[in-house]
Amino acid sequence: MDAFELLPSQDEIAAGREAMLEWDASLGSASLTGDLSELRLAPGVKEGFARA
């Protein structure tokens, strides 16, 4: 992911990220997010998100 930040233009960074989205699209959202139900959040995370 950091390699995208080294690209010389915002357009190239955006194109690289779009390509990464296509790689994961074939997996389906259930496959990509299935383990999130077991995620443990650090204390204060929900409050921090609420501030955004």
Side-chain angles (χ1 to χ4, degrees):
M1 189 67 130
D2 291 334
F4 288 116
E5 308 305 328
L6 298 175
L7 293 171
S9 74
Q10 290 295 319
D11 289 338
E12 288 176 302
I13 292 170
R17 289 185 173 160
E18 289 291 327
M20 288 177 66
L21 286 173
E22 291 176 18
W23 301 338
D24 293 338
S26 65
L27 299 174
S29 62
S31 174
L32 295 171
T33 62
D35 294 329
L36 294 178
S37 63
E38 300 174 25
L39 184 68
R40 289 183 19 205
L41 298 177
V45 168
K46 290 182 182 179
E47 293 81 4
F49 285 152
R51 294 185 66 153

